[in-house]
Amino acid sequence: MTDERVRVTEAGPTSGKAAPGDRSNRNTAVLVGFTAITNLADGVTKVVLPLMATTLTDSPAQVAGVGLTLTLPWLLVALHVGVLVDRFDRRLLLWLADGARMLVVGALLLLALRDQVTMPALYAGGLVLGVAEVVALTSAATLVPSAVAPAGQERANAWVAGAETACNEFCGPFVGGLLVAAGASVALGWTGAGYLIGTLILLLLVGRFKPQADDTRPAGSVNQRIAEGVRFLWQQRLLRLMALALTVLSACWGAWLALIPLVATSLMHLDAREYGILLSALGAGGLVGALTVTSVNRLLGRRWSMFADLVGTAAMVAAPVISTNLWAVGAGAFLGGMGGILWTVNSRTLSQRLVPDAMFGRYNAAARLFSWGAMPLGAGLVGVLAEWFGIRTAFAVFAVATLLIIIPFLRTVTPRALAEAEAAPRAD
């Protein structure tokens, strides 16, 4: 995933200048805390909604459809949200997104207490949560580079990415499995509380995070501004390859996350607690990746560090083809999670070097359209393939797709291209 920097008007970070040391450290701590809490809530939701769906239907397509609704908004509204983020205060947008999440979780909680949950209710709730996630992640992507000093941005990226993975995919699913065992209403209640705490934590963030208008050129229409972001991404060879490669990788993640609930219940015969442990292997790998990314980069270099994500994702989607053993599938998930965090930290650092300051919201939205937007496609496609040809065949298709991007990656993400990106002056 990629991040961008933004201009801010305040008694603090401004274009080309990040926060002073003390404020930068405080903002880093606040952003890591916010990321940890809200992603913990997201991780619980990731367990709750699909498992609620399995109690209503045994159709692979319908269960995968819940995952589809959670990620479909990346295809529908990501580019427009990018324009929104370039115009309005990003912290305010984060508050609005968390408010929408709390309303949806509260509504589902009421339905669960009345035993009135239906598949349409899950789909509708998933769509709203998905839109809120687009707003939240696109807005949050601009906060690290604008609130943290340049010297501390790689460290902040690693901590934030580690918090995302550890809490969303490690602690969240594990806690979610335990909470679901106590009841869907209990899990939903704790999820709503998590979003509320995250909203309050943002009050501690120092600075104003509204983008500064560029008075030297007309703003243009929404479509024109969207086109600028997409065009910038497409004209940058390294960033374009990273986005296209991540499209395939994210489709694999979307497929795995959408169908693994049915794999866990119908093929592996796991209970809710064991299912949470399985999903937590993703976060365990991501946590290891966050703690070791600096060492891995120093030992292998950025190129091979990012290449590890191709291998890890292939292992993650291939594992259910080969075995239904909890430890084997968990090991594949661990490798996928570790590779994913290595890619995330390195791609964020590179994009922060290459992307102009005024383009952050739109570029980030365009890049995430290629990556996160592929997740609902992967979720939808894997459901159809599983319905027609079986679960193992569906996962095998995605494993092969991952291997096909190895050659384009090696031809484009070369040592020379990375050296040029590292040597480029920071875009302002």
Side-chain angles (χ1 to χ4, degrees):
M1 308 300 171
T2 53
D3 270 282
E4 301 94 13
R5 292 179 307 137
V6 319
R7 297 176 185 236
V8 292
T9 58
E10 43 128 339
T14 57
S15 177
K17 298 180 181 179
D22 292 342
R23 178 163 43 198
S24 181
N25 291 335
R26 171 174 172 168
N27 283 345
T28 297
V30 171
L31 291 173
V32 171
F34 169 80
T35 300
I37 293 295
T38 55
N39 277 272
L40 180 62
D42 288 340
V44 173
T45 303
K46 186 184 300 182
V47 174
V48 176
L49 266 62
L51 286 182
M52 290 173 71
T54 62
T55 66
L56 301 173
T57 179
D58 58 1
S59 167
Q62 291 188 43
V63 173
V66 175
L68 178 66
T69 62
L70 290 168
T71 51
L72 184 61
W74 285 103
L75 284 176
L76 301 179
V77 301
L79 295 178
H80 293 83
V81 168
V83 175
L84 189 73
V85 169
D86 277 342
R87 291 186 176 181
F88 298 100
D89 190 305
R90 280 152 297 278
R91 179 164 53 181
L92 176 59
L93 292 175
L94 284 172
W95 280 328
L96 293 174
D98 274 356
R101 287 163 159 169
M102 286 185 281
L103 288 175
V104 170
V105 170
L108 290 175
L109 175 58
L110 289 176
L111 291 176
L113 292 173
R114 297 176 180 178
D115 197 23
Q116 295 178 343
V117 177
T118 63
M119 291 302 296
L122 291 178
Y123 292 147
L127 281 173
V128 176
L129 289 172
V131 172
E133 182 181 51
V134 175
V135 175
L137 291 183
T138 306
S139 301
T142 65
L143 293 180
V144 169
S146 64
V148 178
Q153 286 180 8
E154 184 166 358
R155 184 191 64 167
N157 285 333
W159 279 103
V160 169
E164 288 176 0
T165 304
C167 294
N168 198 316
E169 297 157 5
F170 178 44
C171 301
F174 179 73
V175 172
L178 296 177
L179 292 175
V180 169
S185 59
V186 174
L188 290 171
W190 279 100
T191 300
Y195 291 133
L196 176 60
I197 294 172
T199 299
L200 297 176
I201 287 177
L202 281 179
L203 293 171
L204 302 176
L205 196 64
V206 178
R208 295 174 57 205
F209 297 91
K210 182 177 181 179
Q212 180 176 330
D214 185 354
D215 297 328
T216 64
R217 56 188 298 273
S221 68
V222 171
N223 288 337
Q224 288 173 333
R225 292 171 67 83
I226 288 174
E228 287 179 353
V230 174
R231 186 163 52 248
F232 175 84
L233 170 60
W234 197 254
Q235 290 174 347
Q236 300 289 324
R237 187 168 182 260
L238 179 59
L239 297 179
R240 181 175 70 241
L241 183 279
M242 287 164 51
L244 293 176
L246 199 54
T247 299
V248 177
L249 297 173
S250 295
C252 292
W253 277 68
W256 193 90
L257 291 170
L259 203 55
I260 203 66
L262 200 60
V263 172
T265 55
S266 65
L267 297 183
M268 301 176 68
H269 306 292
L270 305 181
D271 58 27
R273 177 178 174 276
E274 290 170 328
Y275 175 61
I277 293 174
L278 172 61
L279 284 189
S280 69
L282 281 173
L287 182 59
V288 171
L291 294 174
T292 62
V293 60
T294 301
S295 299
V296 172
N297 284 348
R298 185 166 51 248
L299 180 64
L300 302 179
R302 289 195 195 277
R303 187 192 194 202
W304 296 111
S305 182
M306 296 175 72
F307 180 81
D309 191 24
L310 276 63
V311 177
T313 301
M316 181 179 72
V317 292
V321 179
I322 301 170
S323 174
T324 58
N325 178 270
L326 173 60
W327 298 107
V329 178
F334 178 89
L335 293 175
M338 183 173 181
I341 208 72
L342 294 175
W343 180 290
T344 297
V345 174
N346 283 297
S347 64
R348 287 180 179 179
T349 302
L350 289 171
S351 65
Q352 287 168 9
R353 174 69 63 178
L354 296 172
V355 179
D357 187 63
M359 190 71 64
F360 279 119
R362 286 164 289 161
Y363 165 77
N364 185 59
R368 286 176 183 265
L369 176 65
F370 282 92
S371 55
W372 288 76
M375 294 186 71
L377 297 179
L381 179 58
V382 79
V384 173
L385 290 174
E387 196 86 40
W388 289 351
F389 305 109
I391 292 174
R392 285 188 170 89
T393 300
F395 276 126
V397 169
F398 283 90
V400 172
T402 303
L403 298 177
L404 291 178
I405 63 175
I406 289 178
I407 292 178
F409 175 87
L410 294 177
R411 286 182 175 178
T412 303
V413 186
T414 62
R416 178 178 179 179
L418 292 175
E420 291 175 350
E422 293 284 356
R426 187 170 297 277
D428 290 321

